[in-house]
Every structure is written in structure tokens, then in C-alpha cells.
Amino acid sequence: MFSRLGAFLQRAVETQEPSIDLLEAFTEHWKGLTHYYLETTDENTPVKETDIPWRLKQMLDILVYEEKQHPAGETGPCLEYLLQHKILETLSTLGKAEYPPGMRQQVFLFFSRVLGQVQHPLLHYLNVHRPVQKLLQFGSDALGSASEKEEVQFAAVLCAKIKQDPALLTYILEGKNLLTGSPQGDAGSSQDESLATNGALTASPEPDRESSVGDAPCASLAGKPKNSVSSSSPLRKENNLITSLINLCKSQKSRIALKAQENLLLLMSVAQQAAATYLVQNSALCCLVTDHLCDLYSAVPTSADPADILSLERVSWRLQNNSADEASFPGKGSLDAFFSWLDYCDHLMREAHPVVADAVTEAIGEKLFQGILQPQLLQMSELGILTSTAMLTAMVRQISAPALLRELVTFLLGTERQPEAITDSAQQHLLRFQLIEHCNHLSDEISLATLRLFEELLRKPHEHIVYSLVLRNLEERSYILRSQPGQEERSTHEQDHCEDTLELEEDPYFTDEFPGIGFRTCKKPMPSSPRGPARPNEKTDVNEIVLSFLGLVPDEAKTSSYLEEAGYDTYVHDALRLFQECSANISSWHWPQAPKPLEPCDPQAAFYEGHFLKVLFDRMTRILDQPYGLNLQMTSVLSRLALFPHPHLHEYLLDPYLNLAPGCRTLFSVLIRVIGDLMQRIQRVSQFSAKLLLVRRQLMGLVPEEQMDHMTLFQGVVVLEEFCKELAAIAFVKFPPEGPA
């Protein structure tokens, strides 16, 4: 009997003693920590040389062990003691005082471990989220702080908790209950009551306070005023989770910056619509992200070489900068920093909640695009235009997120989708008009840089780019000569022959005006039957189109046959690869497969090719007088346009047999004029073919370069021949003879 009684008492002791010992041990460690401040007079002793880190570790272990001994959701006496005696409040104050030295790091670590390892929800309690807010407020503003590592760990724990429960966002950023619209106290009332019944201090969240987080521009970006900010009360800049993460993103330690960026991304991808809206309207998130981007852009030296800017490879925000490359050219470090953060913003736009992505995108559009870039692009300084255009080109190359790309396209081209008119080009969209004018600038360097910008734009998978620049002016097909109702769009073989003869007689550039010269020009093959434009089912169409472009350049101006080249097949192979890439980009645009019928089109509509094509065609007419590099870029843009698989573009740019309305021109008709001009020049230059061949060999690097008369002319002829081959190859791959592509 005594043995049974002893066993019972032993079990009772084993059951009750751990709870009593845990609380006593917890309070003993806490009192030991506070006594240090009462007994120690040496303020210079580092915290690591004291017993404070050990005591904090013991307190954490006790809390974790205690939780495992209780059913889920039930608070133990040690946790109640921590909340009742405002231990976290006291620790946040000690961390702010940074006494003893290094205490701030220990406080960050303790907070991170308690919030991360204790499974019981804590951030709802006033005595937890208020010290958390205070701890964030004195987070380091100075780069290179000794506590950066601990700060980013603390922020990571908070972001993970918010990701699990987006309603916690209100407790971290302050404000009203996210889901019910009531003060914060309602959210934690049930848990607070459970603490009160156990004799603990009621941990109800503090009443709604005037929010001091964020700033005015963010409210306007969200489209709504912030309810928590009075219009008459000035906003006070405070540190919170958002500002802490942004500051850590600026850290010179790449691992710290990367960890902060990952957690900011985690925070911005909150799933709930209400949480995302709250994040936009009640924090300075949009402004801070955008301001950092603008600061990095402004830090790029104005003396940066545009060629160096364009030589940068695509930057990834996840990759650490290589310090060995910092001095490869002046300003590379600043450029890497800007494009790295731009790439991060681009990635953020893809991963963030759409509400957050749209708000940040709008902020970037207002502050960076309109506030900084537009004045630079519209300035008069040629060097400034070159640098800003190079930066913009590199930005277009870097951006891929749909929301940010849409904002950029709207900024550059506007939203207008009506056909252009000759009289209103300057009134439609100022920046679009000016950029297109830069393609025809007196400075060849500015023209080259701007043409490179437009080629980069045309590579982007955004339908409005090609529509704004070209397609909106081709919708009505007003470039085609209208016949009487019921007649075919194309004339018969005899009509074509008569009109072609008339055109040749009236064209002063053709050799009919110069009898006896004896040039072997290539005649246009006559179509054998009336047909609609660009019908891929008719095999003769493609063959005739290809032969028309290949036969444009007279034999006296051809050089490829004298050189060992891969031949026409190389052009077809390259065109096929580019056409497949282009087709993949436009796969979701739902373009028509055939041209729009002429019947519903307005017969009275006057045709205007649009500002962009006008400038390109004007440039093409001067191909024999322009620098080699400029000609290459100009023809590259036209080739890029010809690659788009839209029936109107194919018809207008690649069909030599269009019956044009009076005053209209197409790419083929412009080329005909250029060839006529070339024929006149050939007769004025002695040994034209031999000199042209020498220049071609120089351009290929086969012989040393040397200056000669008419160098620009010969280089222009080389580009012209290559361009005609490219157009023939593009027509071939878009509608190959064996069937539709």
C-alpha cells in the first residue's frame, strides 16, 4: 500500500513540477537580465561578454518547451508572463538604447526566434505587435550597420507570418482591421479574453491611431485617399516593415540585399485582394520602390558613353555584381545597380498581386518615365539625347513584365488607335512625335540611336507597338486604287501591263529616258491572272515576289556573286528563325488570316502611311547618301516590320503588284525609285563595279580599309543589295511555295 502511495505521489510530482520549474526558471532568467542593468556600471562591455545572450536563449527554450507540453492553442504560464509583464516592450527599449553594445542584435535575434519558433499566434496581441513596430522603427537607416544580418532575419520572419495570414499586415503597418473594417482590437478579442480568464493582462490591440505610415503620393496612386490619414495632419516619416526592407535592399552586402529583396517580393505577393489594397493605400511601398529606382537612375554619370550603356548584357537582380568588372568603363557600377533594381521591379510586377503591381507600375510611370526620362528625351542637347535614348533602349530590352511593359508603351506611344492624319502628327502624342522625328535627325548618331530604340520596341510582345506605329494606318487599305463596285481588287493582266508601261514612261529615274546606256535591268514578271493580294495558296505569287526583290538591283551593282558566300539559303534560314520568333510573340493577338475586304472600307478615306513609315521611307530614298551603320539600322527596322504575320503588313511591304492609289507609295515603289537613282549614278562613276567589289571586301574585313571617292555610295549599294535579299527571304518564309507557313 505504501509503495502504491509513493508511486502516486511521484507521478503527481512529475506532472506538476515541470510547470512550476519552468515558470520559476523563466522569471529567474528575466530578473537576472534586468538586474544586470541595476548592478553593472561599465557601459563599454560588449553584450557578448555578459550573460544576457545566454539568458535570452534559455527564455526562448523554455517558451518552446512549454508550448509542446500544452494542447494546441492553449497558452502556458511562461507565455502569459511574457505578455503580462511586457517583456518584449522592455527588450525593444533596451535594443533602441543599444546598451550594452550589441544589444540591438540580441533583441532582433530574440524577437525573430520567438515569433518563428513559437507556434501560438502572437502578432495579434498589443504587447507583441507594438514592440515589433517599435523595433522596426529604429531599424538601421545607415548602410553597413552591424545589425543588418539580424534585421533581415527579423523581417523575413514577419514576411513569412504575413504570407500565412495576410490579416496580420494591419498589425504590422497599423490601421484598422483588414477584413471587418473594425478597430484592430476586434481581431484579437477572442484570444485576449482567453488570457484575461487565466489572470493575465488583457492584450487587446491598441485603439485605432492616426496612421503615420506612407506618404501622400502613394494615396493618389492607389486612386483613393487613405482613411487613416487626415488631410489636415502632416505625415510623419516613420520606419516600418516596408521601409526596413527597402533600406536593407540598399545594403552593400549582396547577401543581405538579396535576402531583403526576396522577402519584399514575398510580402508584395499577398494573395488576398483586401490585403493588397491595404498594402498600397496604407504604406509608402510604391513611393519607396520607385524613389530608389529614380535615385539609382540619377546616379548614372551624365558622361556615360551611350555605346557602353548599350554594350551591357541583360542584368539579373539575383546575381551578385562582379566587383572585378566595376572599372571596365566609367559608370559601370552605377549602371549595374540601376538595371539590377529595374530587373527586380520587373520581376516584382510579374509576381506581385495585380493590385500592387498596377500601383507600383503607375508610380514608375509618373516618377521615372514622365518625371525624369521625358524631359531628357525632349531636351535640345545632342549628347543628352544620345545618353537618354541609350538608357531608354537598354530599359526596353530589360523590361518584360506585362504591366510594366504596358506602362512603358503608353508612355512612349500613347493610347491613340485611330488612323493618323498628315495635319495632326504633332498634336497626337508629343513624345511619340519627337522620337519619330529623331529617326530623321540632322545628327546621324541620334537617328541611329533612335532607330535602334524602335527596333528594340518592335521585339517586345505588345500588340499596341506595331499597331500604333504602322497597322492603324493600313486598316482601311486606302493605298489600293479602288475600282467600280463588283470589280476585282486587282486589274487584269492587260491593265497591269498598261499601267506598268505608263509608270515607266512617267518615271524619270528609269532608263527609258536614257536610251543607249545598255544597263541590264530586271523587269517585273507579269502576273498571269487576276488575284487578291498575298494569297499564299497560289504558288506563283511567292515565286514572283521573291524574283521581284532579287531582281531589283542591276547586275552592275551586285557583288555577292563574286564573293564566296553561303548564298541565298543563309538569308532564308535567318528569316525563318526570326519569323518563328515573331510569330511566337504575336500568337495571342488574334490577327486576321486574310486582308480586310475592300467593300466595307471607306472609299473616300485618304491614305497616309503614318509618321513612322514616312520617316523610314524618306530615309530609304537617301540610302545611297547615308552612313553605312545608319543604313544597316534603318533596313533592320523595315525588315523587322516585314516579319510580322499580318496580312496588311505583308501586302503593303512585300507585294510588288499592288495597284496603288494616286499619291501612295509602298516599300517596293520606294525601292524602285532608289534603283532609278542608282542607275543614274553608275554612269557617272568610272569602274563602278570594281570599286564596289573592293568596298564590299573591305566591309567584310577581307582587305584593309582605305578611303576612296563615293565611299558612301558604294556602302549604300551594298546595304541595298543585302536588304533586297532579306525581303525576298522574308516573303519566302512567310508563304513558302509548298504551302502556308
Side-chain angles (χ1 to χ4, degrees), residues 17-34:
E17 188 175 18
S19 176
I20 298 174
D21 289 346
L22 285 177
L23 181 58
E24 288 182 356
F26 188 83
T27 56
E28 178 185 351
H29 285 300
W30 175 241
K31 291 177 180 178
L33 188 151
T34 55

Side-chain angles (χ1 to χ4, degrees), residues 483 487-503 526-527 530 659:
S483 302
Q487 293 184 350
E488 292 288 336
E489 298 171 11
R490 292 203 177 238
S491 303
T492 61
H493 172 78
E494 293 77 14
Q495 289 173 326
D496 274 342
H497 180 72
C498 295
E499 289 169 0
D500 287 346
T501 304
L502 180 61
E503 288 178 5
M526 293 296 113
N659 193 13

Side-chain angles (χ1 to χ4, degrees), residues 441-721:
H441 201 275
L442 292 176
S443 167
D444 290 335
E445 291 183 345
I446 291 179
S447 297
L448 177 61
T450 311
L451 285 169
R452 189 180 291 115
L453 166 65
F454 278 107
E455 183 180 17
E456 203 65 52
L457 266 177
L458 290 169
R459 295 177 187 272
K460 310 307 290 187
H462 197 288
E463 184 268 348
H464 186 67
I465 297 172
V466 65
Y467 192 89
S468 173
L469 292 175
V470 179
L471 275 178
R472 61 171 167 160
N473 303 304
L474 307 181
E475 280 292 313
E476 297 298 322
R477 300 174 68 197
S478 309
Y479 45 84
I480 296 178
L481 180 64
R482 306 301 174 94
S483 302
Q484 295 180 358
Q487 293 184 350
E488 292 288 336
E489 298 171 11
R490 292 203 177 238
S491 303
T492 61
H493 172 78
E494 293 77 14
Q495 289 173 326
D496 274 342
H497 180 72
C498 295
E499 289 169 0
D500 287 346
T501 304
L502 180 61
E503 288 178 5
L504 293 177
E505 290 175 354
E506 294 177 349
D507 195 335
Y509 292 105
F510 271 84
T511 55
D512 295 18
E513 298 291 328
F514 305 96
I517 293 177
F519 289 129
R520 299 189 299 277
T521 57
C522 298
K523 298 179 181 179
K524 292 199 303 181
M526 293 296 113
S528 58
S529 62
R531 59 190 185 280
R535 290 186 186 176
N537 292 332
E538 299 180 13
K539 297 182 179 181
T540 55
D541 280 359
V542 177
N543 289 330
E544 291 177 0
I545 291 174
V546 170
L547 290 175
S548 296
F549 282 108
L550 290 179
L552 268 177
V553 179
D555 292 342
E556 288 77 7
K558 291 181 178 179
T559 58
S560 57
S561 59
Y562 299 98
L563 300 172
E564 295 181 0
E565 293 185 335
Y568 178 67
D569 291 344
T570 303
Y571 293 88
V572 174
H573 181 271
D574 293 341
L576 179 60
R577 175 179 55 83
L578 294 173
F579 178 66
Q580 289 172 344
E581 293 176 1
C582 184
S583 299
N585 283 342
I586 66 97
S587 58
S588 61
W589 296 357
H590 307 295
W591 275 354
Q593 297 297 314
K596 180 180 179 180
L598 287 177
E599 288 76 12
C601 297
D602 183 7
Q604 305 300 323
F607 177 68
Y608 174 51
E609 64 260 41
H611 193 193
F612 187 59
L613 278 183
K614 178 183 182 301
V615 169
L616 290 179
F617 286 173
D618 290 346
R619 275 288 182 191
M620 176 57 69
T621 61
R622 303 195 298 272
I623 191 173
L624 302 179
D625 301 301
Q626 295 175 156
Y628 178 69
L630 181 58
N631 283 334
L632 285 177
Q633 189 60 59
M634 178 261 298
T635 55
S636 181
V637 173
L638 284 168
S639 296
R640 175 67 54 177
L641 285 173
L643 282 167
F644 283 100
H646 193 286
H648 294 171
L649 273 174
H650 179 80
E651 176 182 69
Y652 185 69
L653 296 179
L654 293 176
D655 192 344
Y657 303 106
L658 282 180
N659 193 13
L660 294 177
C664 298
R665 59 179 179 173
T666 63
L667 178 56
F668 190 82
S669 69
V670 172
L671 290 173
I672 289 289
R673 294 277 177 169
V674 173
I675 296 301
D677 186 16
L678 173 61
M679 289 177 174
Q680 295 185 59
R681 299 191 188 203
I682 290 177
Q683 64 177 325
R684 297 196 294 263
V685 179
S686 61
Q687 298 180 332
F688 182 90
S689 297
K691 293 179 179 178
L692 177 63
L693 181 59
L694 177 60
V695 171
R696 178 65 179 268
R697 292 171 65 87
Q698 290 178 1
L699 293 173
M700 296 175 64
L702 300 177
V703 296
E705 292 187 12
E706 60 178 78
Q707 291 297 322
M708 65 173 67
D709 294 337
H710 310 294
M711 176 67 78
T712 302
L713 169 63
F714 295 131
Q715 292 176 343
V717 173
V718 171
V719 176
L720 181 62
E721 182 184 4

Side-chain angles (χ1 to χ4, degrees), residues 373-385:
L373 263 177
Q374 180 161 311
Q376 292 182 352
L377 293 168
L378 298 178
Q379 65 181 306
M380 300 301 294
S381 167
E382 292 189 4
L383 181 59
I385 294 175

